[in-house]
Amino acid sequence: MRKDLFFIFVFSLGVAGCRKQALPPTDYGNIGDFKLTSVTTTNQGNVDKKALSGRVWIANFILTNCNGPCPILSGNMEKLQSELPQEVGFLSFTVDPENDDAPSLQRYAKRFSADPSRWLFVRGDKASLYELYEKGFKVVAAEDKTLPLAERFVHTTKFVLLDQNGTIKGYFDGDTPYGLTKLKREALSLLRGGAGHDRNNA
């Protein structure tokens, strides 16, 4: 699918508040190298691919001013945090770094009781973030500045499961019980050294 047509397609998927993006055609691989800023409830620092090595991670994409699915997604991340062992980490990437500064992300992290030892909120310059989303995670983040802030972003509501080497193992619905159940099962399988099964539950 041509890139311009794909963006038209995702912009047509409107919901209240920030808008959902359908899962793009998947080509699972490694997310590749990156250098960004991480924020927790207690501090901020740097994060790169090397810092993720050796741990299973669940990643999602949010913005703190979202009036749509983001609070639901973050609430489900909080639930997964309470149900999965400490060996599983969590990454929430902002799609609106211009407004989601470190203090905003820290307040948001506290709102969802994010454990600073395992749940990182990631920001950086917009170009670097969006390149990572498109080329690394193979999802789309896009902005329509003609709309109100809480409605202008298109981003996926999928949760992305990464293995200990930063390889994408699957995409799971972050807003459905079925998706969360399947994600938990696959994350535990990775911890046990399993390769998982069909991990796209779209």
Side-chain angles (χ1 to χ4, degrees):
M1 181 183 295
R2 282 172 43 198
K3 187 173 181 179
D4 56 344
L5 293 179
F6 180 69
F7 271 83
I8 292 172
F9 171 68
V10 295
F11 270 113
S12 70
L13 298 175
V15 297
C18 73
R19 294 177 295 159
K20 298 172 69 174
Q21 175 227 321
L23 181 67
T26 54
D27 179 16
Y28 297 169
N30 198 282
I31 60 171
D33 294 328
F34 66 91
K35 292 183 179 180
L36 295 166
T37 300
S38 65
V39 179
T40 70
T41 56
T42 57
N43 56 39
Q44 60 177 302
N46 299 317
V47 63
D48 55 20
K49 182 185 173 184
K50 185 177 180 180
L52 305 183
S53 179
R55 193 174 204 173
V56 172
W57 294 90
I58 295 170
N60 76 337
F61 306 86
I62 54 93
L63 63 152
T64 62
N65 287 312
C66 174
N67 290 326
C70 298
I72 296 173
L73 299 176
S74 298
N76 285 337
M77 287 282 267
E78 180 181 7
K79 183 178 180 181
L80 290 172
Q81 178 186 243
S82 69
E83 295 176 345
L84 287 169
Q86 188 73 24
E87 291 80 4
V88 178
F90 301 90
L91 301 165
S92 290
F93 291 86
T94 178
V95 298
D96 183 19
E98 294 171 354
N99 291 291
D100 285 344
D101 57 13
S104 297
L105 288 171
Q106 192 165 66
R107 289 191 296 270
Y108 192 82
K110 290 177 179 177
R111 176 181 169 187
F112 293 98
S113 303
D115 180 346
S117 70
R118 63 192 299 212
W119 190 348
L120 308 179
F121 291 76
V122 185
R123 66 179 309 276
D125 69 273
K126 189 174 181 180
S128 296
L129 284 169
Y130 277 37
E131 181 178 18
L132 176 62
Y133 302 160
E134 179 180 353
K135 296 181 180 179
F137 284 96
K138 300 174 180 66
V139 299
V140 168
E143 180 181 8
D144 182 351
K145 291 188 175 181
T146 66
L147 295 175
L149 177 60
E151 300 176 12
R152 68 176 54 166
F153 291 92
V154 173
H155 65 89
T156 185
T157 58
K158 297 289 182 178
F159 286 3
V160 185
L161 179 64
L162 304 175
D163 71 7
Q164 295 88 336
N165 299 311
T167 298
I168 297 171
K169 305 306 291 187
Y171 300 83
F172 304 82
D173 289 335
D175 53 0
T176 69
Y178 173 76
L180 297 175
T181 297
K182 190 169 184 181
L183 173 54
K184 285 190 294 184
R185 183 170 66 245
E186 296 296 341
L188 291 171
S189 176
L190 284 178
L191 289 179
R192 294 191 296 266
H197 304 92
D198 179 9
R199 294 167 294 277
N200 181 354
N201 75 327

